[in-house]
Amino acid sequence: MQNENLVQISFFNQLMLVHPRKKQNERSEASVQVSEYFVNAEGTGDKVNLSDLLGTVEKTSGASNKTKKQLRNLQSSKETLELPLNKQQTEKIQRGIAYEKTTAEVSCWKNIILQNQKAEQMVFPLNQESSGPKRVEQVVAGWKVQTPLEQEIFRLLHGSRQPVNDPVLTPVEEQSLKAMSLEEAKIRRAELQKARALQSYYEAKAKREKKIKSKKYHKVQNKAKRKDFLKQFDEMVKTNPEGALEELKKMELSRMEERMSLKHQNSGKWAKSKAIMAKYDDSARKAMQEQLQMNKDLTQKMVVPSDDEHESIEEGLETVPDFVNDPETVIDPVNPWMRGQLTHEEPEVSCVTAEEVQTAEEENEEEEIIGEFERKRKLRQADEEDLIPTEEERKKTQEEDEDEEEDVSEFNTLFRLMRSEKTREGSNQTRGGLNTAGEEDEEGLLSEGQIRVRSIEDLEVLDEVVEPRAIEEPSAPQTAAAEATSEPPHKKKREINLKEVLTKEAKAVRLPFLPTVVDEEERDEQISIIKEAFAGDDVISDFIKDKSRQEAAGRPAVVDLTLPGWGEWGGVGLKPPRWKRKRFRIKTAPPPPRQDQKLPDVIISEKRTASVASHQVSQLPFPFQNTAQFESSIRTPIGSTWNTQTVVKNMTKPKVVTKLGAIIEPMVKEDFIKSKTTAAGGKGAAIMLGENRRAKEGTKRTKILALTELPTA
Amino acid sequence: QRRAIPFTLGVPRNYDPTLHPFEVPREYTRALNATKLERVFAKPFVASLDGHRDGISCITKHAKSLSTIISGACDGEVKVWNLPRQECLRTVQAHEGFVRGICSRFCGTSFFTVGDDKTIKQWNWEAPGYGVREEPINTILGKAVFTGIDHHQREGTFVTCGQTVDIWDEQRSSPIRSFSWGVDSFSCVRYNPVETELLASCASDRSVVLYDTRESAPLRKVIMQLRSNTLCWNPMEAYYFTCANEDYNLYTYDIRHLDVPVTVHMDHVSAVLDVDYSPTGREFVSASFDKTIRIFPKDKGHSREVYHTKRMQHVICVRWSADNKYVLSGSDEMNIRLWKANASEKLGLLSAREKAATHYNKKLIEKFQHHPQVRRIARHRHLPGDILKQKRELREMREAQRRKEQNVRKHSKPGSVPLLTEKEKHVVAVVE
């Protein structure tokens, strides 16, 4: 304890040495003797010793013996205080503390900086006022009376003391209320009380009923209500035809609303999920049926009871058949052209609950469409690229639009094939252990040269001159060691076996290059016409010849290295001996079977074409983990040819948006940090205080920290 | 020209992908064309402002006006320029000898200059009336030469550097605080625009020193292999700054971890003399003794753009305009040049369709950036022969050094020659 005290005192002294700037405050006290020249307390010139103070302590009874003893010991001890740290060391300590403090303070930006780095779009200047519509309160608060007319109106309003904001009771009314007699007031109060009590009962009941989760209960309730209503309505027809008419109008209105809305039309999320389940689940099917029924009921035209019979018959004749009123299964709510049979992912039935319809936003719809397109695109590519489509997809796609799609897709087949082949090669190469990281670094480099580019022609010339590297890259064989790298194992299974799938498809493909859409009979006709037209030249045999030639070219040739006459007699008519032929005729290993081996009517070129290769990515670019990722990023089109306007806008929005002619100020701490802290729970004020305090506390904190630093220093 | 379609009507369009085949090849072609057009339209040079009679030593932007800049020359002359009209509005003989630094007051009413004549002068932004002599509002005579000046973002204090780093109150004629750490002279000092109490300076002992104006002592310093000439704080990210070094590189540091720079930006072939961040904090521009300006993305090791002209000599100072559209460079041969920050950007207002097209093209280029043809065209830049030669030479030198180091490592005890990354190589020590 004593030592601690000593240490503290010594450090206090040290710090006083460190801060010579800070002078000790002079103190002046009131005293009996007032000098003419200066104000002084008694005995200020004298030094105060510890013993002087101790004398009184001894006398006072309040001080404990323990402290007295300690003080006495302190007095008797003769140890001197430790030397203060030298200047360099103290400064170093101070710097260390200050640095720590500053870094801690600066670190509060971390989240904001990260957030900004990840943000898809940043709009500068940062704290712009939103240009969108404002809330009513904001507008009202900012509005001021300007024109004389407005002023007059305001004066009138305020003069009559009309309530502007909360029109419950005007002051005048209140006054009149106050002016009521006591009995009246009492009665009125009682009435009000009763009404309030009733209302609260009713509310409580409604609340309780609302809380009941059982769907069945509500269903029954609703049914009962409807029944009641119908009964009432029937009665009303007899007693009060005008009221009935009103009711009828209301019903008509509700029918209109129903027809307008997508409620009960099986197009919502719930409905879709149910639609999937409907195949297997009876209850789901039933639920959907119910929804449809509901829709039907609601949209049914009410028969006007007052109408005559023949009129109703006529109406029956006039009305269009019932299915017209039936809601279409809206497959694509935005695009009305899409309601044909293009998609079959959606089974016939689908429905939506009320809330979902209301919440379904435009964006979601857009996304849905895009999702659908993407799915279709993938599907198409899948059955062309033989990504082995799943059973379901196959069924769905190939039911009806098979013929139509096929013809278009056949057109694509060749291209897809080539591409798939190439991409596979590409992926092989990446797996061949090429250093992507190093290449990435390379990628950032500008290729600087002495060629000036002034026109597009120059760029074309640039093609040939610069960088032959892209073309010459070899198709590296797949090595066993490289297989172990990055590619996940299940990916390998999905590796396309072209042959297999192509054999299946071969049946379907009849005329590989028929770009138009034709019917079945027309096609037969076409075939016969073509046959007639090309009766003379034998295209098919030409094709077969061509194919066999190509196959032969691909077959491994036997290399004959025998040198006749080497190591034996030579001359005309002498053949090299058998052993020599055996030894020096080298057979290379046969290449893997051709891709079109089992396809009689297709030639698949297996040559690597340089013209295409120069346009292909030879290795996996940096941010991508595997080839599939990269391919999918390339496959998704972003143009307006393939996407709706809003989607294009979203996809192509730039990362940084600046306002023309606006000065972009640096971030202001108060705008960002404070708002965050207030959101966290009103810490803003505390932080502000802390900042203010900081300057003052600087010295104090260093003291404490210096104390803790002592043992190490 | 296509007839404009009323916005409200729109054209119904079938987006069925089967009707629009070949999406990838079509987009690829578009991307290739976009890249080519981008390069063809890359004409970054906008204007040159001439009028100074000596090399430009410093440039500063007006705090509140985009169209005004001030420049100081090596003969002590300060000129105020109007950018859109490309003319000099006002000329002041501010100092004897170099004008070493200029800074604008945050409110845009006055500016400060420091010069070789050991004075700090405060000038009014508005020119004096006809026939009235140009007189500074205030003149402070210092004890030593001031080499740089910067003003606080929101308060009436500024900081100068020379033999010490001094913090001044505008109302006083002596510094309210001065920092020194050893005996060095400082070449540059900058306030942090976000954490406004933070300071950083470049000292001649190859170090960059950090300060906090609320503390009594400097915070920390990092010593590099060669001297840093200037530094600039990122205006959007409080704890990053970039310094321009004599060893041809720029280094971005995180002040919380000074021992290793976050990024080393290399591409220049001579000492880098000045650096300035774009106001968005995404990129910065650097001026070099090798007569080029380069624009670096803040987190990339290599530049995305290089600007040079035949007549531009050693570039001494560079600034990025406050609207993120232009770059200003002042060079030895007495000219200030105005460049576009994006070389192929179309200036002025764009119609909605133009805007959409540019966005689409940009996105396409980004999407196909890894394809060899696109990449090759997008990366191509013209460079003057001597710089190219120097570049080649440098590459050879680096390669030789690397090989040498490798050999040394091979023939010495394992672990005795550690493998240092490029980032670690350049920091000598961090002094607490």
Side-chain angles (χ1 to χ4, degrees):
Chain A
M1 179 78 184
Q2 191 187 337
N3 281 336
E4 270 182 27
N5 279 338
L6 271 175
V7 167
Q8 234 160 12
I9 289 162
S10 75
F11 264 90
F12 186 72
N13 289 342
Q14 275 181 31
L15 283 159
M16 294 323 289
L17 282 175
V18 169
H19 296 281
R21 274 193 298 120
K22 204 169 186 179
K23 283 178 194 165
Q24 281 207 321
N25 288 330
E26 277 185 20
R27 291 169 72 186
S28 59
E29 284 170 283
S31 69
V32 186
Q33 291 175 316
V34 180
S35 166
E36 200 178 334
Y37 306 108
F38 54 89
V39 179
N40 203 355
E42 200 177 355
T44 37
D46 305 335
K47 232 179 190 177
V48 178
N49 286 323
L50 190 57
S51 58
D52 296 342
L53 299 172
L54 280 181
T56 54
V57 171
E58 291 289 336
K59 283 164 199 165
T60 47
S61 54
S64 67
N65 284 330
K66 206 179 169 187
T67 43
K68 280 177 191 171
K69 205 175 170 188
Q70 278 176 349
L71 283 170
R72 242 175 276 138
N73 286 339
L74 196 65
Q75 203 178 0
S76 55
S77 67
K78 296 291 178 195
E79 286 171 30
T80 52
L81 296 179
E82 281 177 59
L83 272 176
L85 282 175
N86 60 12
K87 198 184 167 194
Q88 279 76 19
Q89 266 173 321
T90 43
E91 273 187 352
K92 190 177 175 186
I93 291 165
Q94 277 182 347
R95 281 197 298 261
I97 293 158
Y99 177 72
E100 230 102 276
K101 223 182 337 177
T102 314
T103 47
E105 195 181 323
V106 162
S107 297
C108 71
W109 285 99
K110 197 174 161 191
N111 286 335
I112 291 165
I113 288 172
L114 276 180
Q115 192 185 313
N116 285 353
Q117 277 169 358
K118 281 179 191 164
E120 277 185 13
Q121 190 175 44
M122 289 280 289
V123 181
F124 294 101
L126 283 175
N127 43 2
Q128 281 185 81
E129 278 186 18
S130 59
S131 58
K134 286 175 183 170
R135 276 183 297 145
V136 181
E137 296 91 61
Q138 286 174 336
V139 179
V140 168
W143 187 66
K144 274 176 191 166
V145 184
Q146 283 166 341
T147 60
L149 179 66
E150 282 171 351
Q151 279 168 357
E152 202 162 317
I153 290 170
F154 247 67
R155 214 178 306 128
L156 277 175
L157 274 175
H158 289 286
S160 68
R161 282 186 282 177
Q162 280 287 332
V164 182
N165 296 327
D166 198 12
V168 183
L169 286 173
T170 59
V172 181
E173 279 174 331
E174 270 174 7
Q175 277 170 3
S176 72
L177 264 182
K178 273 177 196 163
M180 270 192 296
S181 70
L182 189 63
E183 288 87 57
E184 270 180 8
K186 269 182 182 169
I187 293 164
R188 192 173 155 68
R189 210 184 99 201
E191 269 173 10
L192 279 173
Q193 243 170 0
K194 200 182 171 188
R196 231 174 289 141
L198 276 177
Q199 196 185 351
S200 73
Y201 293 150
Y202 184 75
E203 270 173 9
K205 195 185 170 195
K207 217 178 219 174
R208 203 182 58 238
E209 277 176 358
K210 205 183 166 193
K211 251 190 182 172
I212 294 171
K213 276 183 181 168
S214 161
K215 277 184 183 162
K216 201 164 187 181
Y217 169 80
H218 284 292
K219 228 178 263 174
V220 171
Q221 283 278 322
N222 282 337
K223 217 172 216 177
K225 254 185 217 168
R226 211 173 299 153
K227 228 177 210 174
D228 255 13
F229 173 74
L230 278 177
K231 219 181 247 172
Q232 269 182 6
F233 182 71
D234 281 346
E235 268 177 29
M236 214 185 257
V237 169
K238 283 163 198 163
T239 55
N240 182 9
E242 277 162 27
L245 217 61
E246 284 286 304
E247 287 297 320
L248 207 66
K249 266 182 193 167
K250 263 186 209 167
M251 277 153 88
E252 178 67 19
L253 199 72
S254 75
R255 179 179 155 268
M256 270 154 73
E257 270 170 6
E258 173 65 19
R259 286 187 62 190
M260 276 193 289
S261 78
L262 285 173
K263 233 188 229 182
H264 312 123
Q265 298 211 357
N266 287 353
S267 57
K269 236 185 248 173
W270 174 84
K272 274 173 195 163
S273 69
K274 281 290 168 196
I276 293 164
M277 290 303 293
K279 244 179 235 175
Y280 318 104
D281 194 359
D282 249 5
S283 65
R285 210 176 306 153
K286 212 173 169 188
M288 292 188 18
Q289 290 291 351
E290 259 170 38
Q291 287 270 321
L292 280 179
Q293 189 57 45
M294 180 103 74
N295 180 49
K296 218 167 213 174
D297 287 350
L298 281 169
T299 49
Q300 214 161 33
K301 208 155 196 178
M302 290 298 288
V303 185
V304 185
S306 60
D307 278 349
D308 292 334
E309 252 196 333
H310 71 271
E311 241 181 298
S312 70
I313 290 166
E314 260 188 342
E315 207 177 52
L317 284 174
E318 269 178 8
T319 46
V320 275
D322 207 23
F323 64 82
V324 175
N325 274 342
D326 275 1
E328 287 177 337
T329 52
V330 181
I331 295 154
D332 190 341
V334 166
N335 192 347
W337 309 103
M338 293 296 281
R339 62 184 159 192
Q341 291 89 357
L342 280 170
T343 45
H344 286 267
E345 280 96 330
E346 308 278 309
E348 317 71 48
V349 272
S350 62
C351 52
V352 188
T353 57
E355 309 89 40
E356 277 166 358
V357 173
Q358 277 150 10
T359 51
E361 284 167 277
E362 208 180 297
E363 260 184 53
N364 282 341
E365 283 169 6
E366 289 277 2
E367 273 167 27
E368 244 170 61
I369 307 166
I370 295 311
E372 210 166 273
F373 283 171
E374 187 56 30
R375 213 161 45 236
K376 281 174 87 175
R377 206 168 276 132
K378 259 190 197 158
L379 248 169
R380 183 158 58 93
Q381 279 166 355
D383 65 24
E384 285 153 12
E385 270 186 5
D386 350 304
L387 279 168
I388 309 174
T390 54
E391 277 300 332
E392 286 174 65
E393 282 173 338
R394 191 164 274 228
K395 263 182 209 163
K396 279 173 202 160
T397 44
Q398 293 183 349
E399 266 171 46
E400 274 190 37
D401 39 45
E402 202 176 35
D403 304 55
E404 297 168 33
E405 269 203 332
E406 229 170 47
D407 290 320
V408 187
S409 63
E410 272 161 15
F411 213 78
N412 296 348
T413 314
L414 210 66
F415 171 70
R416 304 280 171 210
L417 274 175
M418 260 159 64
R419 213 183 53 154
S420 80
E421 176 197 331
K422 296 300 178 209
T423 45
R424 264 192 331 141
E425 276 176 15
S427 68
N428 283 349
Q429 279 169 6
T430 51
R431 267 183 275 136
L434 283 164
N435 185 9
T436 49
E439 285 300 318
E440 203 279 316
D441 203 29
E442 188 85 343
E443 192 180 301
L445 281 168
L446 296 175
S447 70
E448 288 150 353
Q450 279 190 296
I451 303 159
R452 273 188 198 276
V453 174
R454 291 204 179 85
S455 65
I456 295 202
E457 286 73 44
D458 292 346
L459 286 165
E460 300 294 349
V461 172
L462 206 73
D463 272 18
E464 285 104 46
V465 178
V466 197
E467 211 156 13
R469 199 187 74 185
I471 304 163
E472 67 177 45
E473 88 247 324
S475 57
Q478 191 174 325
T479 55
E483 270 175 39
T485 58
S486 68
E487 209 84 352
H490 72 274
K491 189 79 187 61
K492 281 208 70 185
K493 270 183 201 166
R494 281 194 60 193
E495 188 77 22
I496 314 146
N497 191 352
L498 267 181
K499 237 192 322 177
E500 218 174 75
V501 192
L502 275 176
T503 46
K504 279 179 203 162
E505 235 178 58
K507 291 160 203 161
V509 178
R510 266 166 241 140
L511 284 168
F513 293 103
L514 196 63
T516 46
V517 181
V518 268
D519 289 339
E520 197 63 42
E521 309 102 47
E522 267 184 51
R523 183 185 280 183
D524 290 337
E525 239 175 75
Q526 285 264 350
I527 290 172
S528 61
I529 289 169
I530 288 169
K531 268 182 187 168
E532 247 176 71
F534 296 100
D537 33 339
D538 196 356
V539 187
I540 293 167
S541 70
D542 280 354
F543 179 83
I544 290 167
K545 260 183 218 163
D546 199 14
K547 186 170 180 180
S548 63
R549 203 186 305 134
Q550 289 211 11
E551 273 173 359
R555 232 170 270 143
V558 178
V559 185
D560 194 356
L561 294 175
T562 48
L563 291 172
W566 186 261
E568 67 200 355
W569 288 108
V572 184
L574 280 177
K575 272 185 186 171
R578 247 184 92 208
W579 67 266
K580 210 176 190 179
R581 264 182 289 159
K582 215 177 181 180
R583 194 168 162 191
F584 289 103
R585 278 164 69 96
I586 296 161
K587 278 180 193 167
T588 48
R594 284 180 67 89
Q595 284 179 335
D596 52 8
Q597 201 179 24
K598 288 179 185 172
L599 304 172
D601 45 5
V602 177
I603 300 174
I604 299 173
S605 167
E606 283 175 342
K607 269 183 210 155
R608 184 180 165 74
T609 44
S611 61
V612 177
S614 71
H615 288 275
Q616 282 174 331
V617 179
S618 58
Q619 59 211 350
L620 194 65
F622 161 60
F624 299 101
Q625 303 278 315
N626 49 37
T627 41
Q629 245 180 34
F630 178 60
E631 274 169 27
S632 77
S633 87
I634 292 295
R635 203 186 298 128
T636 325
I638 50 175
S640 54
T641 320
W642 299 274
N643 296 303
T644 54
Q645 217 169 20
T646 41
V647 172
V648 172
K649 215 174 190 179
N650 261 334
M651 280 171 129
T652 60
K653 70 180 177 188
K655 271 197 175 141
V656 174
V657 177
T658 55
K659 204 177 153 196
L660 212 61
I663 291 178
I664 302 169
E665 299 279 3
M667 274 185 183
V668 179
K669 190 167 186 182
E670 284 74 43
D671 290 358
F672 291 88
I673 305 296
K674 203 172 93 186
S675 63
K676 212 180 97 192
T677 46
T678 47
K683 279 179 194 166
I687 278 180
M688 289 300 286
L689 267 179
E691 277 177 359
N692 291 337
R693 227 185 303 148
R694 206 186 132 126
K696 290 173 209 162
E697 275 189 355
T699 50
K700 210 178 189 178
R701 263 191 236 164
T702 47
K703 254 179 245 171
I704 296 158
L705 277 158
L707 279 176
T708 53
E709 292 265 328
L710 178 77
T712 55
Chain B
Q1 198 185 347
R2 201 180 78 178
R3 220 175 67 213
I5 296 154
F7 182 71
T8 46
L9 278 177
V11 180
R13 184 181 164 76
N14 195 345
Y15 291 104
D16 185 3
T18 45
L19 300 182
H20 308 287
F22 298 128
E23 57 269 354
V24 180
R26 282 164 80 186
E27 286 218 316
Y28 174 73
T29 324
R30 285 179 197 178
L32 205 58
N33 286 339
T35 324
K36 286 176 183 175
L37 285 181
E38 195 208 4
R39 283 333 302 160
V40 168
F41 287 123
K43 307 258 182 261
F45 183 70
V46 180
S48 160
L49 311 174
D50 60 334
H52 272 297
R53 285 171 293 184
D54 207 337
I56 317 287
S57 61
C58 45
I59 302 180
T60 271
K61 304 169 271 188
H62 191 286
K64 294 288 172 203
S65 153
L66 277 175
S67 57
T68 320
I69 60 158
I70 343 168
S71 61
C74 295
D75 59 351
E77 210 174 45
V78 168
K79 276 179 184 283
V80 180
W81 302 88
N82 183 315
L83 287 181
R85 283 190 286 161
Q86 298 172 20
E87 65 180 22
C88 176
L89 299 179
R90 184 179 161 201
T91 309
V92 186
Q93 184 62 42
H95 294 278
E96 283 164 30
F98 279 46
V99 180
R100 289 289 177 184
I102 305 180
C103 72
S104 169
R105 200 169 185 275
F106 59 91
C107 60
T109 53
S110 61
F111 62 90
F112 295 83
T113 57
V114 291
D116 271 355
D117 53 359
K118 303 183 189 174
T119 53
I120 306 169
K121 289 183 180 172
Q122 186 181 5
W123 305 83
N124 212 330
W125 261 108
E126 271 164 30
Y130 181 75
V132 183
R133 265 191 66 196
E134 287 272 10
E135 289 275 349
I137 304 171
N138 281 321
T139 307
I140 300 168
L141 193 63
K143 284 176 192 147
V145 174
F146 298 107
T147 51
I149 186 169
D150 196 21
H151 202 282
H152 191 279
Q153 202 68 30
R154 277 185 289 282
E155 286 165 20
T157 56
F158 60 91
V159 61
T160 60
C161 64
Q163 289 196 342
T164 56
V165 170
D166 298 327
I167 296 166
W168 304 73
D169 194 303
E170 280 176 2
Q171 309 300 326
R172 301 188 188 194
S173 58
S174 58
I176 53 174
R177 181 168 298 172
S178 53
F179 294 108
S180 62
W181 186 348
V183 274
D184 310 304
S185 59
F186 296 90
S187 60
C188 167
V189 65
R190 288 279 187 101
Y191 265 112
N192 187 330
V194 187
E195 284 285 341
T196 47
E197 303 306 321
L198 272 180
L199 283 172
S201 70
C202 301
S204 62
D205 68 340
R206 304 170 296 158
S207 67
V208 173
V209 193
L210 298 177
Y211 310 88
D212 191 328
T213 52
R214 294 163 296 195
E215 305 293 344
S216 55
L219 301 180
R220 190 160 284 196
K221 73 174 164 187
V222 54
I223 300 175
M224 276 178 283
Q225 278 189 332
L226 284 181
R227 192 167 68 101
S228 295
N229 285 314
T230 43
L231 59 81
C232 187
W233 291 93
N234 191 327
M236 290 292 157
E237 302 182 352
Y239 44 73
Y240 291 116
F241 69 85
T242 301
C243 55
N245 205 285
E246 282 281 320
D247 65 0
Y248 312 172
N249 297 337
L250 294 114
Y251 301 96
T252 300
Y253 278 100
D254 181 343
I255 62 166
R256 300 168 303 164
H257 312 287
L258 283 172
D259 44 351
V260 176
V262 182
T263 324
V264 181
H265 311 274
M266 35 196 359
D267 257 353
H268 280 296
V269 291
S270 191
V272 192
L273 298 183
D274 200 6
V275 57
D276 193 35
Y277 261 96
S278 77
T280 60
R282 299 291 173 113
E283 289 169 326
F284 60 82
V285 60
S286 65
S288 169
F289 199 74
D290 64 10
K291 306 175 189 176
T292 60
I293 303 169
R294 281 179 187 266
I295 296 175
F296 292 85
K298 69 158 198 285
D299 46 2
K300 292 276 159 58
H302 292 279
S303 58
R304 77 157 167 85
E305 201 67 72
V306 53
Y307 294 160
H308 59 86
T309 62
K310 222 177 218 172
R311 299 183 183 194
M312 187 162 73
Q313 295 302 311
H314 313 306
V315 194
I316 292 171
C317 47
V318 71
R319 285 290 174 273
W320 200 305
S321 77
D323 61 347
N324 197 33
K325 285 263 187 278
Y326 301 97
V327 165
L328 289 152
S329 71
S331 43
D332 242 0
E333 88 307 324
M334 307 179 273
N335 276 320
I336 299 167
R337 288 192 170 76
L338 184 65
W339 309 83
K340 286 194 268 186
N342 284 316
S344 57
E345 194 181 34
K346 194 181 171 191
L347 294 182
L349 273 176
L350 299 184
S351 70
R353 276 176 56 199
E354 261 179 317
K355 224 181 256 175
T358 46
H359 290 167
Y360 179 46
N361 282 347
K362 238 178 222 168
K363 201 74 191 176
L364 277 181
I365 295 173
E366 192 193 318
K367 181 181 170 186
F368 288 98
Q369 62 184 338
H370 304 294
H371 287 248
Q373 299 291 316
V374 174
R375 203 174 57 192
R376 186 180 47 74
I377 295 168
R379 275 167 43 190
H380 178 80
R381 296 290 181 284
H382 170 259
L383 263 193
D386 46 347
I387 295 174
L388 209 62
K389 213 169 76 185
Q390 261 173 309
K391 206 178 150 191
R392 224 170 281 140
E393 212 169 88
L394 255 181
R395 196 191 302 142
E396 261 163 42
M397 277 160 62
R398 285 218 179 96
E399 181 56 31
Q401 272 167 4
R402 198 185 60 80
R403 203 171 49 234
K404 169 93 181 181
E405 202 179 299
Q406 228 171 25
N407 288 341
V408 169
R409 189 171 298 119
K410 216 182 280 171
H411 295 291
S412 50
K413 196 174 151 194
S416 62
V417 185
L419 198 68
L420 285 179
T421 60
E422 188 63 35
K423 285 178 191 174
E424 288 161 345
K425 265 181 212 169
H426 304 280
V427 176
V428 175
V430 178
V431 187
E432 278 186 26

